[in-house]
Amino acid sequence: MKAGSTVRLPPGFRSKFLDALTPTEIKTVLAAAREEPISRRQVLQRQGELAHRLCLPLTGLVAAYRLVDEGSKLFLRWGLPGDLFGLSALLAEPSTYLVTVEAVHQGALLTWDLAASRMLIGQFPNMLRAVNSLAASYMDDFIDVLAVRVSLTAPQRLARMLVKSARQIGRVGDDGIKLDLTNEQLAFIAQVSPFTASRQLNQWQVRGIVRKNRGTILLRSLPRLEEIAKVGSYRP
Amino acid sequence: MKAGSTVRLPPGFRSKFLDALTPTEIKTVLAAAREEPISRRQVLQRQGELAHRLCLPLTGLVAAYRLVDEGSKLFLRWGLPGDLFGLSALLAEPSTYLVTVEAVHQGALLTWDLAASRMLIGQFPNMLRAVNSLAASYMDDFIDVLAVRVSLTAPQRLARMLVKSARQIGRVGDDGIKLDLTNEQLAFIAQVSPFTASRQLNQWQVRGIVRKNRGTILLRSLPRLEEIAKVGSYRP
DNA sequence: CGCAAAGTTGATCATAGTCAAGTTCTGTGG
DNA sequence: CCACAGAACTTGACTATGATCAACTTTGCG
């Protein structure tokens, strides 16, 4: 697709970013965008790379993480459709991406290159305000990830990420909320070893709180998970 | 002191924030500031409180941390003279402080209330750019705190914080770099128990890397600490 | 001199990571 | 339709780390 072509927003699409703009602004902003497909595991921006574009996923799921000492990945947050990222591209001086963003599922993406995003940000003070507010909420999120990691036990982190992911990427079924996550992915986002994740999920399955299938987790009782995530350690 | 009175910047004062402004802008910005003293342990902003002012320490030392589950504090970064904080006050919608900031040493502070900071930010696009760039570097810092906490051992974190603090608050002496930190404070910023900090410092003292006095730590060999902070775990 | 803050030391313990050696699942090609 | 490769997951044994607690000593200040 090329800039200027009509961008069709997917049905049910909501974006905190676009919501902060007026209809006229939205029209201009969308007109300046370029749409492109994203495939699974595709890296959309790499931490440390020169920030060269602003991105807005339309469909699919991406993950933002930081690489630590060549190898291990540190999950920071999901990027859902409507979540603007690559904000570093909007800074005055050329700067680098703070985190790596990688597609977890395939989907589609709107992008604005440096010229376009600079132009828009200069033209619409509204957009600048929206972006600053977004940046603040991301910062809050990141600090929270740290707080969670430091102050919660492994089972609590798992429960918490299940609850959080349920809200973000859960599909409501008749017998609970279904998450398309492998043990390994859950372990990754909860900052736990895959073995710990496996053991804990089994225990919860025995207790009837979740049900497991290869690649998916069915949450049968959100309240009980929320309870575990909140207070004192889990009791075996 | 009241707004409009002449603000005297302390000798040797440097500020990334002010450096990004033109002399004329600096003049206007300083004229709109209010100066006030800060005493030890004074809380300058509280996480969750409605952001009502922007702050710039002139002298002294402050610490930014987050409170987790009523009680424990999670250190995020030092605030040195020249470090602007309370950026939440600049957001378009009323919003709350993301972190708590508390004075570690006494000193003095410039503040701008909501009206003043809104006025300045509207008047000087330059200031907005500077603030965004600051926000980005804070965000980077915070993510880094997380990465460090997750991927380094306790002795590595201690070594790292000693090195980092040396650069920020160290006083160069003839026999090394002196830090005014109690064991407890070091433990706090390195996210380690005071006992672990004590034990580790003793070990390093025996090895001649540091020397301890009540309330101060003398770093005798920065390179060796940097080495410890970097690669594999410590060897006893 | 006395008292509180700062620091020490040893014993103990819970957490959760690591590793090895499995089992189960699922999609693919013969 | 079945076999099979490889991914996903399990399970148990082991272990390092570092927190916690209690009891103690040292330091510096008024």
Side-chain angles (χ1 to χ4, degrees):
Chain A
M1 327 275 171
K2 70 185 281 266
S5 64
T6 319
V7 170
R8 288 207 150 278
L9 298 181
F13 179 83
R14 293 309 306 273
S15 169
K16 242 184 143 184
F17 167 60
L18 290 184
D19 284 354
L21 305 180
T22 67
T24 327
E25 287 170 347
I26 293 180
K27 217 172 154 187
T28 315
V29 166
L30 291 185
R34 178 179 287 271
E35 185 174 345
E36 61 180 62
I38 44 180
S39 50
R40 218 166 153 271
R41 307 226 154 227
Q42 183 183 341
V43 172
L44 304 175
Q45 66 182 44
R46 209 175 296 272
Q47 157 195 346
E49 215 175 48
L50 209 64
H52 65 283
R53 64 176 190 178
L54 193 63
C55 296
L56 185 76
L58 291 177
T59 58
L61 177 68
V62 304
Y65 57 83
R66 173 157 285 202
L67 293 164
V68 294
D69 46 46
E70 349 282 323
S72 67
K73 299 171 178 180
L74 184 50
F75 177 83
L76 292 171
R77 55 169 282 141
W78 292 125
L80 301 171
D83 286 344
L84 193 67
F85 61 89
L87 305 192
S88 295
L90 294 172
L91 292 173
E93 332 81 71
S95 54
T96 56
Y97 290 123
L98 297 184
V99 300
T100 300
V101 174
E102 180 181 325
V104 177
H105 299 148
Q106 65 177 98
L109 195 67
L110 291 185
T111 69
W112 294 266
D113 60 23
L114 267 191
S117 34
R118 293 267 162 84
M119 184 268 281
L120 292 169
I121 212 84
Q123 193 173 350
F124 304 125
N126 238 353
M127 175 163 161
L128 192 51
R129 280 192 279 274
V131 165
N132 281 340
S133 157
L134 269 182
S137 75
Y138 289 166
M139 180 142 11
D140 194 41
D141 270 15
F142 294 165
I143 301 176
D144 197 56
V145 172
L146 172 58
V148 161
R149 172 62 215 234
V150 166
S151 69
L152 299 187
T153 65
Q156 286 176 318
R157 295 202 298 275
L158 283 167
R160 195 188 157 94
M161 288 317 292
L162 285 176
V163 172
K164 220 174 177 191
S165 299
R167 278 196 283 271
Q168 297 186 319
I169 59 175
R171 294 177 295 113
V172 180
D174 45 346
D175 48 356
I177 297 172
K178 207 171 273 182
L179 292 176
D180 288 316
L181 286 176
T182 65
N183 274 6
E184 199 181 352
Q185 286 171 325
L186 174 62
F188 170 55
I189 66 177
Q191 308 241 60
V192 152
S193 80
F195 307 98
T196 301
S198 169
R199 283 184 243 268
Q200 192 57 54
L201 282 178
N202 275 342
Q203 203 177 104
W204 285 336
Q205 175 157 252
V206 170
R207 291 209 249 155
I209 300 175
V210 306
R211 198 160 62 208
K212 310 169 50 181
N213 284 311
R214 163 180 277 226
T216 69
I217 301 164
L218 180 73
L219 311 183
R220 300 184 57 82
S221 167
L222 265 194
R224 293 177 70 182
L225 283 173
E226 281 165 345
E227 194 48 39
I228 292 167
K230 210 183 309 178
V231 284
S233 318
Y234 77 114
R235 339 218 163 274
Chain B
M1 327 275 171
K2 70 184 281 263
S5 65
T6 319
V7 170
R8 289 207 149 280
L9 297 181
F13 178 82
R14 294 308 307 274
S15 168
K16 242 184 144 185
F17 167 60
L18 291 183
D19 285 354
L21 305 180
T22 67
T24 327
E25 287 169 345
I26 293 180
K27 218 172 158 190
T28 314
V29 167
L30 291 184
R34 178 178 288 270
E35 185 174 346
E36 61 179 62
I38 44 180
S39 50
R40 221 166 151 270
R41 305 223 157 232
Q42 183 182 344
V43 171
L44 304 175
Q45 66 182 43
R46 210 176 295 272
Q47 158 196 345
E49 216 174 49
L50 209 64
H52 64 282
R53 63 177 191 179
L54 194 63
C55 297
L56 185 76
L58 291 176
T59 57
L61 177 67
V62 304
Y65 57 83
R66 172 158 286 202
L67 293 163
V68 294
D69 45 48
E70 348 285 323
S72 68
K73 299 171 177 179
L74 185 50
F75 177 82
L76 292 171
R77 53 169 283 139
W78 292 126
L80 302 172
D83 285 344
L84 192 68
F85 61 88
L87 305 192
S88 296
L90 295 171
L91 292 174
E93 334 81 72
S95 54
T96 57
Y97 291 123
L98 297 184
V99 300
T100 300
V101 174
E102 179 180 326
V104 178
H105 299 148
Q106 65 175 98
L109 193 68
L110 291 186
T111 69
W112 294 266
D113 60 23
L114 268 191
S117 35
R118 292 266 163 85
M119 184 269 281
L120 293 168
I121 211 83
Q123 195 174 349
F124 303 127
N126 236 351
M127 177 165 160
L128 191 52
R129 280 192 278 275
V131 166
N132 281 340
S133 157
L134 270 183
S137 76
Y138 288 166
M139 183 150 354
D140 194 41
D141 269 14
F142 294 164
I143 301 176
D144 196 57
V145 172
L146 172 59
V148 161
R149 171 63 215 234
V150 167
S151 70
L152 299 187
T153 65
Q156 286 176 319
R157 295 202 298 275
L158 282 167
R160 194 189 157 96
M161 286 318 292
L162 285 175
V163 172
K164 220 173 176 191
S165 300
R167 277 196 284 270
Q168 297 186 319
I169 59 174
R171 295 178 294 112
V172 180
D174 45 346
D175 49 356
I177 298 172
K178 207 170 274 184
L179 292 177
D180 289 317
L181 286 177
T182 64
N183 274 6
E184 198 182 353
Q185 286 171 325
L186 174 62
F188 171 54
I189 66 177
Q191 306 240 59
V192 153
S193 80
F195 309 100
T196 301
S198 169
R199 283 183 241 268
Q200 192 58 54
L201 282 177
N202 275 342
Q203 203 178 101
W204 284 337
Q205 177 158 250
V206 169
R207 291 209 248 155
I209 300 175
V210 306
R211 198 159 61 207
K212 309 170 51 180
N213 284 311
R214 161 179 279 228
T216 69
I217 302 164
L218 181 74
L219 310 183
R220 300 185 56 83
S221 167
L222 264 196
R224 293 177 71 182
L225 283 174
E226 279 165 346
E227 193 50 38
I228 291 166
K230 210 182 312 176
V231 284
S233 319
Y234 78 114
R235 340 215 163 276

Short mmCIF file of all heavy atoms in Angstrom, two decimals, chain B residues 183 195 198-199 202 212 214-215, chain C residues 4-11:
data_model
loop_
_atom_site.label_atom_id
_atom_site.label_comp_id
_atom_site.label_asym_id
_atom_site.label_seq_id
_atom_site.Cartn_x
_atom_site.Cartn_y
_atom_site.Cartn_z
N ASN B 183 25.08 2.19 54.69
CA ASN B 183 24.83 0.85 54.15
C ASN B 183 23.38 0.72 53.74
O ASN B 183 23.07 0.14 52.70
CB ASN B 183 25.12 -0.20 55.22
CG ASN B 183 26.58 -0.59 55.24
OD1 ASN B 183 27.39 0.01 54.54
ND2 ASN B 183 26.91 -1.58 56.04
N PHE B 195 21.85 -6.44 54.97
CA PHE B 195 22.80 -7.47 55.40
C PHE B 195 23.71 -7.88 54.25
O PHE B 195 24.92 -7.99 54.40
CB PHE B 195 22.04 -8.68 55.94
CG PHE B 195 21.03 -8.31 56.98
CD1 PHE B 195 19.68 -8.20 56.66
CD2 PHE B 195 21.41 -8.01 58.28
CE1 PHE B 195 18.75 -7.84 57.61
CE2 PHE B 195 20.48 -7.65 59.24
CZ PHE B 195 19.15 -7.56 58.91
N SER B 198 26.15 -5.11 53.66
CA SER B 198 27.22 -5.10 54.66
C SER B 198 28.26 -6.18 54.38
O SER B 198 29.46 -5.93 54.33
CB SER B 198 26.60 -5.33 56.05
OG SER B 198 27.61 -5.58 57.00
N ARG B 199 27.77 -7.39 54.18
CA ARG B 199 28.69 -8.51 53.91
C ARG B 199 29.55 -8.24 52.70
O ARG B 199 30.76 -8.42 52.70
CB ARG B 199 27.89 -9.79 53.67
CG ARG B 199 27.35 -10.41 54.94
CD ARG B 199 26.63 -11.73 54.60
NE ARG B 199 25.22 -11.70 54.96
CZ ARG B 199 24.75 -12.09 56.14
NH1 ARG B 199 25.55 -12.54 57.07
NH2 ARG B 199 23.45 -12.04 56.39
N ASN B 202 32.16 -5.56 53.21
CA ASN B 202 33.27 -6.07 54.02
C ASN B 202 34.24 -6.85 53.16
O ASN B 202 35.45 -6.68 53.26
CB ASN B 202 32.74 -6.99 55.13
CG ASN B 202 32.32 -6.18 56.33
OD1 ASN B 202 32.72 -5.02 56.46
ND2 ASN B 202 31.52 -6.76 57.20
N LYS B 212 35.43 1.47 54.34
CA LYS B 212 34.16 1.87 54.92
C LYS B 212 34.34 2.68 56.18
O LYS B 212 35.21 2.39 57.00
CB LYS B 212 33.34 0.62 55.28
CG LYS B 212 33.21 -0.37 54.17
CD LYS B 212 32.62 -1.66 54.67
CE LYS B 212 31.36 -1.42 55.45
NZ LYS B 212 30.77 -2.67 55.93
N ARG B 214 31.45 4.68 58.98
CA ARG B 214 30.03 4.86 59.25
C ARG B 214 29.50 6.02 58.40
O ARG B 214 29.93 7.17 58.55
CB ARG B 214 29.86 5.15 60.74
CG ARG B 214 28.56 5.81 61.10
CD ARG B 214 28.46 6.03 62.59
NE ARG B 214 28.04 4.79 63.23
CZ ARG B 214 27.07 4.74 64.13
NH1 ARG B 214 26.43 5.82 64.49
NH2 ARG B 214 26.75 3.59 64.69
N GLY B 215 28.62 5.70 57.51
CA GLY B 215 27.98 6.75 56.72
C GLY B 215 28.68 7.14 55.44
O GLY B 215 28.15 7.89 54.64
P DA C 4 17.87 5.61 73.42
OP1 DA C 4 16.64 6.13 74.02
OP2 DA C 4 18.23 4.18 73.57
"O5'" DA C 4 17.86 5.96 71.87
"C5'" DA C 4 18.25 7.27 71.45
"C4'" DA C 4 18.96 7.17 70.12
"O4'" DA C 4 20.32 6.72 70.32
"C3'" DA C 4 18.32 6.17 69.15
"O3'" DA C 4 18.39 6.72 67.86
"C2'" DA C 4 19.22 4.94 69.28
"C1'" DA C 4 20.58 5.61 69.47
N9 DA C 4 21.57 4.77 70.12
C8 DA C 4 21.39 3.84 71.10
N7 DA C 4 22.49 3.24 71.49
C5 DA C 4 23.48 3.84 70.71
C6 DA C 4 24.87 3.65 70.64
N6 DA C 4 25.52 2.79 71.41
N1 DA C 4 25.55 4.40 69.75
C2 DA C 4 24.87 5.27 68.99
N3 DA C 4 23.57 5.54 68.96
C4 DA C 4 22.93 4.78 69.86
P DA C 5 17.50 6.17 66.73
OP1 DA C 5 16.38 7.11 66.57
OP2 DA C 5 17.26 4.73 66.95
"O5'" DA C 5 18.45 6.29 65.45
"C5'" DA C 5 19.39 7.35 65.38
"C4'" DA C 5 20.64 6.84 64.73
"O4'" DA C 5 21.38 6.00 65.66
"C3'" DA C 5 20.41 5.99 63.48
"O3'" DA C 5 21.25 6.49 62.48
"C2'" DA C 5 20.79 4.56 63.92
"C1'" DA C 5 21.84 4.84 64.99
N9 DA C 5 21.98 3.80 66.01
C8 DA C 5 20.99 3.22 66.74
N7 DA C 5 21.42 2.31 67.60
C5 DA C 5 22.80 2.31 67.41
C6 DA C 5 23.85 1.58 68.02
N6 DA C 5 23.64 0.68 68.98
N1 DA C 5 25.10 1.83 67.61
C2 DA C 5 25.31 2.74 66.64
N3 DA C 5 24.40 3.50 66.00
C4 DA C 5 23.16 3.23 66.43
P DA C 6 21.31 5.93 61.04
OP1 DA C 6 21.70 7.04 60.14
OP2 DA C 6 20.08 5.15 60.81
"O5'" DA C 6 22.53 4.91 61.11
"C5'" DA C 6 23.83 5.43 61.29
"C4'" DA C 6 24.79 4.28 61.30
"O4'" DA C 6 24.56 3.48 62.47
"C3'" DA C 6 24.65 3.35 60.10
"O3'" DA C 6 25.88 3.34 59.43
"C2'" DA C 6 24.30 1.98 60.72
"C1'" DA C 6 24.77 2.13 62.15
N9 DA C 6 24.03 1.35 63.14
C8 DA C 6 22.68 1.34 63.37
N7 DA C 6 22.30 0.56 64.35
C5 DA C 6 23.49 0.00 64.81
C6 DA C 6 23.77 -0.92 65.83
N6 DA C 6 22.84 -1.45 66.62
N1 DA C 6 25.07 -1.27 66.02
C2 DA C 6 26.00 -0.72 65.23
N3 DA C 6 25.86 0.16 64.24
C4 DA C 6 24.57 0.48 64.07
P DG C 7 26.08 2.44 58.15
OP1 DG C 7 27.14 3.06 57.36
OP2 DG C 7 24.76 2.13 57.57
"O5'" DG C 7 26.66 1.09 58.76
"C5'" DG C 7 27.81 1.15 59.57
"C4'" DG C 7 27.98 -0.18 60.22
"O4'" DG C 7 26.87 -0.45 61.10
"C3'" DG C 7 28.05 -1.38 59.27
"O3'" DG C 7 29.33 -1.96 59.41
"C2'" DG C 7 26.93 -2.30 59.74
"C1'" DG C 7 26.74 -1.85 61.18
N9 DG C 7 25.46 -2.18 61.78
C8 DG C 7 24.22 -1.69 61.47
N7 DG C 7 23.28 -2.18 62.21
C5 DG C 7 23.93 -3.05 63.08
C6 DG C 7 23.43 -3.87 64.13
O6 DG C 7 22.27 -4.00 64.49
N1 DG C 7 24.44 -4.59 64.74
C2 DG C 7 25.77 -4.52 64.41
N2 DG C 7 26.61 -5.29 65.11
N3 DG C 7 26.25 -3.75 63.44
C4 DG C 7 25.29 -3.06 62.83
P DT C 8 29.73 -3.26 58.56
OP1 DT C 8 31.18 -3.20 58.34
OP2 DT C 8 28.78 -3.40 57.45
"O5'" DT C 8 29.45 -4.42 59.62
"C5'" DT C 8 30.19 -4.44 60.84
"C4'" DT C 8 29.93 -5.74 61.55
"O4'" DT C 8 28.56 -5.77 62.02
"C3'" DT C 8 30.13 -7.00 60.73
"O3'" DT C 8 31.08 -7.79 61.43
"C2'" DT C 8 28.74 -7.65 60.66
"C1'" DT C 8 28.06 -7.08 61.89
N1 DT C 8 26.57 -6.92 61.88
C2 DT C 8 25.83 -7.59 62.81
O2 DT C 8 26.31 -8.33 63.64
N3 DT C 8 24.48 -7.35 62.74
C4 DT C 8 23.81 -6.53 61.85
O4 DT C 8 22.61 -6.39 61.90
C5 DT C 8 24.66 -5.86 60.89
C7 DT C 8 24.05 -4.94 59.90
C6 DT C 8 25.98 -6.08 60.94
P DT C 9 31.97 -8.87 60.71
OP1 DT C 9 33.34 -8.72 61.22
OP2 DT C 9 31.69 -8.82 59.25
"O5'" DT C 9 31.39 -10.24 61.25
"C5'" DT C 9 30.81 -10.31 62.55
"C4'" DT C 9 29.85 -11.46 62.60
"O4'" DT C 9 28.49 -10.98 62.51
"C3'" DT C 9 30.00 -12.50 61.49
"O3'" DT C 9 30.52 -13.66 62.10
"C2'" DT C 9 28.59 -12.68 60.92
"C1'" DT C 9 27.71 -12.02 61.97
N1 DT C 9 26.46 -11.36 61.50
C2 DT C 9 25.31 -11.56 62.21
O2 DT C 9 25.25 -12.27 63.19
N3 DT C 9 24.21 -10.90 61.72
C4 DT C 9 24.16 -10.08 60.62
O4 DT C 9 23.12 -9.55 60.28
C5 DT C 9 25.41 -9.91 59.92
C7 DT C 9 25.46 -9.05 58.71
C6 DT C 9 26.49 -10.55 60.39
P DG C 10 30.92 -14.98 61.32
OP1 DG C 10 32.11 -15.57 61.96
OP2 DG C 10 30.92 -14.73 59.86
"O5'" DG C 10 29.68 -15.90 61.69
"C5'" DG C 10 29.24 -15.95 63.04
"C4'" DG C 10 27.97 -16.79 63.14
"O4'" DG C 10 26.81 -15.97 62.83
"C3'" DG C 10 27.91 -17.98 62.19
"O3'" DG C 10 27.42 -19.10 62.92
"C2'" DG C 10 26.93 -17.53 61.10
"C1'" DG C 10 26.00 -16.61 61.89
N9 DG C 10 25.37 -15.58 61.08
C8 DG C 10 25.95 -14.88 60.05
N7 DG C 10 25.13 -14.01 59.51
C5 DG C 10 23.95 -14.16 60.22
C6 DG C 10 22.72 -13.47 60.08
O6 DG C 10 22.43 -12.58 59.28
N1 DG C 10 21.78 -13.93 61.01
C2 DG C 10 21.99 -14.90 61.94
N2 DG C 10 20.98 -15.21 62.72
N3 DG C 10 23.15 -15.54 62.07
C4 DG C 10 24.07 -15.12 61.19
P DA C 11 27.24 -20.53 62.27
OP1 DA C 11 27.80 -21.51 63.22
OP2 DA C 11 27.68 -20.53 60.86
"O5'" DA C 11 25.66 -20.64 62.32
"C5'" DA C 11 24.94 -20.13 63.44
"C4'" DA C 11 23.46 -20.41 63.24
"O4'" DA C 11 22.86 -19.32 62.51
"C3'" DA C 11 23.16 -21.67 62.43
"O3'" DA C 11 22.04 -22.32 63.00
"C2'" DA C 11 22.91 -21.14 61.02
"C1'" DA C 11 22.27 -19.78 61.31
N9 DA C 11 22.53 -18.79 60.27
C8 DA C 11 23.71 -18.59 59.58
N7 DA C 11 23.65 -17.62 58.71
C5 DA C 11 22.35 -17.13 58.81
C6 DA C 11 21.67 -16.11 58.16
N6 DA C 11 22.22 -15.34 57.22
N1 DA C 11 20.39 -15.89 58.50
C2 DA C 11 19.83 -16.66 59.45
N3 DA C 11 20.38 -17.66 60.14
C4 DA C 11 21.65 -17.85 59.77
#
